[in-house]
Amino acid sequence: MSATLIDGKKISAQIKEEVKEEVLQLREKGIVPCLAVIQVGNDPASSVYVRNKRKACEYTGIRFQDDLLPEDTSQEALLDRIQELNEDPQVHGILVQLPLPQGIDEKAVTYAISPAKDVDGFHPVNAGSLFLGEKGFVSCTPAGILQLLKRSGIEIAGKECVVLGRSNIVGKPMAALLLAENGTVTVTHSKTRNLREVTKRADILVVAVGKPRFVDDTFLKEGAVVIDVGIHRNESNQLCGDVDFEKAAPRCSAITPVPGGVGPMTVAMLMKNCAQAAAESVQEEPRNGGR
């Protein structure tokens, strides 16, 4: 069997084009979507992620507001800055780049962002809305994976879907999205017994375990669709995922590569969420949030 490569670069480019059009229409109505990104300190990896977000904003026409705060910024000062952005009608999306320096409580920071501006989809109000099937912002990586599946013509309804990993950012929201699409969903994790027996039932397997090349062909049934969320550097300093691509691909009907699979989708969905936040800012009163 020859696996179809699910091209995240191509699909993310389609989404960014759609967002560009949405932003153009909003600008014609006098609304300029704006994303404010707060970075505390200058962690090199964080700086690369922020730069990618800036580029995507420039491409789609979203105004990018960069708040670079010193490494020694206190939690109180950071929360005060978030509150200022919550109250600024010109800012539609707020994102605090993680990780934060030691001594700052990530949970307190996440909870401080108004749910109406939480374009990362991490606030409990948005997480709860997802599980209840209500409107809200969905975490960008799972939202991107859903688009990869749908735009590749992969049917989810009635399929056995297995999610490897139970993080709040990927695993849990991914399970909720697949369930909402009428998939039969199993979430596995480090305490799952007979893991291979469970994953071998999967028609669709989403792997987000944070271990390089953890999943090989022995985890898969013939013809499975495999989505690889992981990103690592191997011994040769080349990028690789949580899936051993060379071993897994021959058993798959479709698979995402690393790089060029899930990665580009995360930023594209962030742009989509930001455009949505700007559109909703004129339709309704902001939901309660902040502190």
Side-chain angles (χ1 to χ4, degrees), residues 115-191:
K117 298 188 178 189
D118 165 43
V119 286
D120 252 340
F122 294 165
H123 193 284
V125 166
N126 284 319
S129 295
L130 171 60
F131 276 87
L132 294 173
E134 301 290 338
K135 197 172 181 184
F137 293 112
V138 178
S139 184
C140 299
T141 300
I145 291 168
L146 192 66
Q147 288 300 315
L148 283 178
L149 292 169
K150 286 186 162 186
R151 292 176 188 236
S152 300
I154 294 161
E155 182 73 32
I156 299 168
K159 296 287 182 69
E160 284 264 5
C161 305
V162 176
V163 180
L164 228 67
R166 54 176 166 180
S167 73
N168 292 335
I169 292 172
V170 179
K172 289 176 188 171
M174 191 72 246
L177 284 173
L178 291 167
L179 198 56
E181 295 292 328
N182 300 312
T184 301
V185 184
T186 305
V187 179
T188 64
H189 44 78
S190 58
K191 299 290 188 284

Side-chain angles (χ1 to χ4, degrees), residues 40 51 67-68 86 96 120 123 125 135 165 185 193 242-243 266 284:
V40 184
R51 197 156 58 242
D67 273 21
L68 183 56
N86 280 339
V96 178
D120 252 340
H123 193 284
V125 166
K135 197 172 181 184
V185 184
R193 293 178 184 172
D242 288 352
V243 175
T266 301
E284 57 184 49

Side-chain angles (χ1 to χ4, degrees), residues 38-49:
I38 301 174
Q39 183 182 348
V40 184
N42 51 6
D43 173 72
S46 291
S47 297
V48 169
Y49 289 130

Side-chain angles (χ1 to χ4, degrees), residues 42-222:
N42 51 6
D43 173 72
S46 291
S47 297
V48 169
Y49 289 130
V50 170
R51 197 156 58 242
N52 288 342
K53 286 159 190 167
R54 180 195 291 275
K55 275 187 202 163
C57 281
E58 286 168 357
Y59 183 78
T60 53
I62 292 168
R63 187 164 70 84
F64 183 86
Q65 185 173 308
D66 192 359
D67 273 21
L68 183 56
L69 304 178
E71 185 83 25
D72 60 0
T73 298
S74 69
Q75 180 168 313
E76 196 57 36
L78 177 55
L79 293 176
D80 285 343
R81 181 63 189 133
I82 290 168
Q83 192 55 30
E84 285 171 18
L85 294 170
N86 280 339
E87 292 167 5
D88 184 347
Q90 303 302 312
V91 171
H92 303 103
I94 303 168
L95 186 151
V96 178
Q97 186 64 47
L98 302 177
L100 290 165
Q102 278 190 326
I104 296 181
D105 179 0
E106 283 185 7
K107 190 187 279 188
V109 169
T110 301
Y111 289 16
I113 298 170
S114 163
K117 298 188 178 189
D118 165 43
V119 286
D120 252 340
F122 294 165
H123 193 284
V125 166
N126 284 319
S129 295
L130 171 60
F131 276 87
L132 294 173
E134 301 290 338
K135 197 172 181 184
F137 293 112
V138 178
S139 184
C140 299
T141 300
I145 291 168
L146 192 66
Q147 288 300 315
L148 283 178
L149 292 169
K150 286 186 162 186
R151 292 176 188 236
S152 300
I154 294 161
E155 182 73 32
I156 299 168
K159 296 287 182 69
E160 284 264 5
C161 305
V162 176
V163 180
L164 228 67
R166 54 176 166 180
S167 73
N168 292 335
I169 292 172
V170 179
K172 289 176 188 171
M174 191 72 246
L177 284 173
L178 291 167
L179 198 56
E181 295 292 328
N182 300 312
T184 301
V185 184
T186 305
V187 179
T188 64
H189 44 78
S190 58
K191 299 290 188 284
T192 300
R193 293 178 184 172
N194 305 320
L195 181 61
R196 281 180 176 81
E197 286 177 27
V198 181
T199 59
K200 273 188 165 175
R201 297 202 308 260
D203 299 307
I204 298 170
L205 180 65
V206 179
V207 187
V209 288
K211 293 181 178 177
R213 291 176 298 194
F214 178 74
V215 168
D216 60 18
D217 52 325
T218 64
F219 285 78
L220 308 175
K221 82 169 181 185
E222 191 74 30

